[in-house]
Amino acid sequence: MVFDMFSISICTAVVVVVAGVQFVLDTVLRRDTGAGRIWSLAFIAGILTTLCYLAWVASGEAGLAIAIGNASFVVGTGCLWVGSRSYNGRSLKVSAWIVAGSAAAAFIATLVAGPDGGDWAGALVMFIALAVLAGLGAVESRRAAMGRSATTVALTLVLGVQSLYYVARSIVFALLGPTDEFFLTWFGSITTSFLTIILTIVAVVSMSVLRSGQARLRGRGDSTTLLLDSDGLYDDESFAKLFGDLTHRAAAFSERIAVISVRLDDLPQIATAFGAVEAQDIAHAWRVGTRRYAPTSAIVGHAGSTGIVIALQPSSIGDARRVASRIHRRLLDDFGSIGTSVVPVLGVGIAVSDIAGYDSEALLTAANDAAVRSASSPDASVMIAGAV
């Protein structure tokens, strides 16, 4: 059977586009963060690569399409490595610059070669970059959290095979050139397309399972099942585990986190003065309302019998204050509409990492203290811990 380059390019494009779109849509629907988003960038770069190469094959003209395709190919492989580092909780600053520099080198090398470079313009630079980045990704996938997951073996094989293939391809290309029969048979575009199809399918399955496992880990804690009550709130211990993991990751990447404490410290007094039924109605509205008005992606849990805490990652301190103010305002509206004899004193306090740092216990303490001050404030305003 004889395969023509255009048909193989179409097949490769279909597989990469379908796999990439599926992974990206899943990322959006899950509201994924960290590794999932970076791996989505890898698939987006892969889609761009296949479309550029398809345009090159269809037009028969080398040029800007190959330059963009080569650069995006490097970015795609680099994002697999960077995403693995994110999964393992490592710093991304240096690795991101390495990927960007490698992609720029591949792009410039292709343009510098110009029309004289033909279809293989800048290929050697791209081959070397792919071999190095895939190798780094394979090594990273065997470290830390990823190394402890059996599912990661498939991704390690994908990146390892890609690295070895491009090491061999670089050597043969440099020694024999792109027109040699041996190179075209074993390392030509058609062979590479078949390999890309296989590796893409394995990679998307592996990373989808890894991401699902990470989501379950966030929902379970390290080894203990986390407890979520009927109102959608975690118990004290479960929240502490989840919040501790969040602060650890946020500190590693210098991301902002905030804690909002919502307190009803006079619930025992209400139960004594107006009866247990009144106190239960207010407590139910407080718990349900706090979960409803908190951001969907926030972690919401109990802090003792009269406190609820919300952990989130706001874009700014002002954003955190707007969220807290909305919760405060709507809870007071709910208390006024449930028909109880008393409106409880509600305290809402905020602590942000910009001011209180990344120590989880310090953040919780600061938020609770601010909520206590809020409850005693004559204008019932939201308080920010440490704010001037």
Side-chain angles (χ1 to χ4, degrees):
M1 183 180 294
V2 178
F3 299 97
D4 65 278
M5 190 60 213
F6 184 73
S7 298
I8 293 300
S9 297
I10 288 289
C11 291
T12 305
V14 169
V15 171
V16 173
V17 169
V18 171
V21 168
Q22 179 268 326
F23 193 90
V24 171
L25 284 177
D26 200 30
T27 300
V28 173
L29 293 175
R30 288 173 178 268
R31 299 183 181 181
D32 208 353
T33 59
R37 288 186 178 182
I38 299 173
W39 284 336
S40 292
L41 291 178
F43 281 103
I44 292 172
I47 292 172
L48 178 59
T49 300
T50 56
L51 294 178
C52 288
Y53 287 166
L54 189 61
W56 155 57
V57 172
S59 65
E61 296 181 1
L64 187 60
I66 291 183
I68 297 175
N70 289 353
S72 58
F73 199 169
V74 172
V75 169
T77 301
C79 284
L80 295 181
W81 169 46
V82 176
S84 298
R85 288 182 63 83
S86 175
Y87 191 101
N88 287 335
R90 300 184 185 278
S91 174
L92 308 182
K93 293 180 181 179
V94 175
S95 55
W97 278 109
I98 291 174
V99 173
S102 300
F107 182 80
I108 294 171
T110 306
L111 291 183
V112 168
D116 295 336
D119 296 340
W120 297 96
L124 185 59
V125 174
M126 180 188 69
F127 293 167
I128 294 173
L130 292 174
V132 172
L133 293 174
L136 290 171
V139 172
E140 186 64 39
S141 69
R142 303 315 309 151
R143 302 170 67 185
M146 291 188 72
R148 293 191 293 269
S149 172
T151 308
T152 317
V153 174
L155 182 60
T156 303
L157 289 174
V158 167
L159 293 170
V161 169
Q162 182 183 3
S163 179
L164 293 175
Y165 178 79
Y166 277 97
V167 167
R169 200 180 191 197
S170 300
I171 294 172
V172 175
F173 183 91
L175 294 178
L176 303 180
T179 59
D180 185 84
E181 188 66 25
F182 180 82
F183 177 84
L184 293 175
T185 301
W186 297 102
F187 298 100
S189 297
I190 293 179
T191 305
T192 304
S193 295
F194 278 116
L195 182 65
T196 300
I197 290 173
I198 295 171
L199 295 183
T200 298
I201 294 172
V202 176
V204 72
V205 172
S206 176
M207 285 186 286
S208 295
V209 175
L210 270 171
R211 181 172 58 184
S212 297
Q214 190 181 37
R216 288 194 298 271
L217 181 64
R218 287 196 296 265
R220 286 200 317 260
D222 293 335
S223 58
T224 305
T225 300
L226 301 183
L227 300 179
L228 192 68
D229 67 16
S230 59
D231 295 321
L233 305 180
Y234 289 104
D235 70 346
D236 300 56
E237 184 178 352
S238 300
F239 180 87
K241 289 177 187 258
L242 292 172
F243 185 53
D245 179 65
L246 177 62
T247 53
H248 174 74
R249 290 181 177 274
F253 306 120
S254 300
E255 296 177 346
R256 176 182 293 107
I257 57 172
V259 183
I260 300 173
S261 176
V262 184
R263 300 192 62 83
L264 281 182
D265 291 317
D266 57 349
L267 274 177
Q269 289 81 0
I270 292 175
T272 300
F274 298 94
V277 175
E278 293 265 302
Q280 289 173 1
D281 289 342
I282 291 172
H284 179 70
W286 166 57
R287 292 193 301 269
V288 172
T290 302
R291 175 63 272 187
R292 180 189 301 129
Y293 304 134
T296 305
S297 58
I299 304 170
V300 186
H302 291 281
S305 60
T306 60
I308 295 176
V309 280
I310 305 162
L312 66 158
Q313 292 186 275
S315 59
S316 64
I317 297 177
D319 182 35
R321 187 182 185 93
R322 282 189 292 274
V323 172
S325 297
R326 182 179 71 245
I327 294 172
H328 185 263
R329 183 176 62 255
R330 292 186 178 180
L331 282 177
L332 290 177
D333 291 341
D334 289 349
F335 293 152
S337 64
I338 60 177
T340 56
S341 306
V342 61
V343 175
V345 177
L346 181 68
V348 179
I350 310 169
V352 290
S353 56
D354 305 61
I355 300 172
Y358 289 100
D359 183 273
S360 58
E361 292 187 5
L363 279 166
L364 289 172
T365 300
N368 284 325
D369 290 345
V372 171
R373 288 193 289 114
S374 170
S376 60
S377 173
D379 59 354
S381 61
V382 172
M383 297 288 183
I384 300 178
V388 179

